Amino acid sequence: MTVTDRRPVFDSRQAFAEELIALARTDERIVAVCNDSVGSSNLVGFRREFPRRLVNVGIAEQDLVGVAAGLANAGKIPFVCAAAPFLTGRALEQIKADVAYSETHVVLCGQSPGMAYGELGPTHHSIEDLSWTRAVAGLDVVVPADPAQTRAAVRWAAASGRPSYLRIPRFKVPGVTPDDAPFERGRSVPLRDGDDVTVIAVGSLVSRALEAAERLQGEGLSVRVINMPFLSPLDEEAVVAAARETRGIVTAEEATVSGGLGAAVASVVVTRHPCPMRILGVPGVFAPTGDTSFLLDHFGLSADGVATAVRELLGHG
């Protein structure tokens, strides 16, 4: 058992809900907009305290985003809360046109992303959302790694004045964010230094990357771990430094390998400082039936999977 194994784990949606309520108490402009998802978006407490500042449009995701854009144009700061697969899949046109192109201060909160819905299957999995949203110009894409970073992301999004997509994790994770870690647009958070290989991870994979680094240290390998909360804009300088200072880069994300974190990092590496890479994620397939932990392990998105990728990159085994 490693140090990471013994840490308590948390549902970041609760941190999101608590921070949203705290902000709403001090800023009357903040409203929540949902698609019949008060319970699953953890908005019960918000509705209880601010019943007139929660708008429930029902199961109509295009209207959900359009209404939020209208509220933003009226001077409100809407937090749009919906399951990530339906928010991004059904309303991508509105996200592009009404939010990003129109430069409205709308905070899109994709709840339960990745494979958090487990046995409900690929129709409810949100593994494409990072690829879709990252492709939209003018939209900041943020993937917090734990409750502390989720709180920081909510505060940042409320104050940013920018269109943004926040991926709010449901899969319980340990705390990994240092107490003094800043949360700045386009900046990564270094969590562990090393000079053999760099692992760049987001969301639920950050804690697993740290666990892999701990295991590999016992094998004499020095692994740098970077938490990359902003996929757009990406911290390109951290990527280039990793490519220059270590022997290769492994990326890890609870998403498809097409167009997400791995693709973003690879585009920087290939143009600025080529180095060996391994991209961990869902490899262009639909998932089998199983709970979230099983699915992450099935696709090698585990501490063992990250460690294996590092060894392969270095030619060890």
Side-chain angles (χ1 to χ4, degrees):
M1 178 177 288
T2 67
V3 172
T4 308
D5 292 324
R6 295 193 294 269
R7 294 176 183 169
V9 294
F10 307 95
D11 184 339
S12 293
R13 294 175 305 165
Q14 185 62 37
F16 163 80
E18 292 171 356
E19 198 63 32
L20 185 61
I21 291 171
L23 288 174
R25 287 171 181 158
T26 62
D27 191 338
E28 294 183 351
R29 297 174 299 167
I30 290 177
V31 297
V33 191
C34 70
N35 60 334
D36 200 26
S37 59
V38 174
S40 60
S41 296
N42 276 23
L43 292 175
V44 174
F46 188 96
R47 181 178 61 182
R48 184 185 306 116
E49 192 160 343
F50 308 106
R52 296 177 61 84
R53 290 160 64 183
L54 185 141
V55 180
N56 189 345
V57 304
I59 303 175
E61 284 75 13
Q62 293 92 341
D63 287 343
L64 176 74
V65 176
V67 165
L71 289 167
N73 285 330
K76 303 297 184 183
I77 303 175
F79 279 73
V80 178
C81 304
F86 309 130
L87 173 60
T88 57
R90 292 177 179 169
L92 191 58
E93 180 185 1
Q94 285 70 31
I95 291 172
K96 172 186 173 181
D98 296 345
V99 176
Y101 177 66
S102 300
E103 298 182 349
T104 52
H105 186 191
V106 173
V107 184
L108 304 160
C109 306
Q111 306 278 345
S112 303
M115 294 176 285
Y117 280 114
E119 293 92 337
L120 293 181
T123 59
H124 282 60
H125 296 163
S126 185
I127 61 170
E128 304 89 357
D129 60 330
L130 298 182
S131 304
W132 292 339
T133 54
R134 200 181 137 253
V136 177
L139 182 69
D140 291 346
V141 180
V142 186
V143 188
D146 63 5
Q149 197 164 65
T150 298
R151 291 180 186 274
V154 170
R155 293 191 298 270
W156 172 86
S160 70
R162 300 181 52 82
S164 58
Y165 174 67
L166 272 56
R167 205 183 202 229
I168 309 300
R170 178 181 182 180
F171 185 74
K172 291 184 177 181
V173 293
V176 296
T177 303
D179 292 338
D180 59 348
F183 190 87
E184 300 175 11
R185 180 173 183 263
R187 292 292 299 274
S188 61
V189 180
L191 297 178
R192 187 182 179 107
D193 199 13
D195 53 21
D196 283 326
V197 172
T198 298
V199 178
I200 302 176
V202 294
S204 59
L205 270 295
V206 175
S207 59
R208 294 179 168 216
L210 284 170
E211 184 177 345
E214 291 177 8
R215 295 182 183 182
L216 291 168
Q217 184 178 18
E219 301 174 20
L221 297 178
S222 174
V223 178
R224 180 179 305 184
V225 178
I226 297 174
N227 173 15
M228 188 71 74
F230 279 87
L231 262 69
S232 182
L234 191 77
D235 188 345
E236 294 192 10
E237 297 311 314
V239 174
V240 173
R244 286 176 176 159
E245 296 167 6
T246 65
R247 296 159 63 188
I249 296 174
V250 174
T251 63
E253 59 196 304
E254 190 182 345
T256 179
V257 298
S258 302
L261 171 69
V265 171
S267 67
V268 175
V269 167
V270 75
T271 56
R272 297 189 59 183
H273 198 285
C275 75
M277 278 192 66
R278 296 291 186 274
I279 297 175
L280 300 182
V282 180
V285 299
F286 292 119
T289 301
D291 66 23
T292 305
S293 294
F294 164 79
L295 292 172
L296 289 172
D297 291 345
H298 173 79
F299 289 115
L301 301 176
S302 60
D304 284 341
V306 173
T308 297
V310 170
R311 296 186 194 102
E312 290 177 348
L313 190 149
L314 293 173
H316 291 200

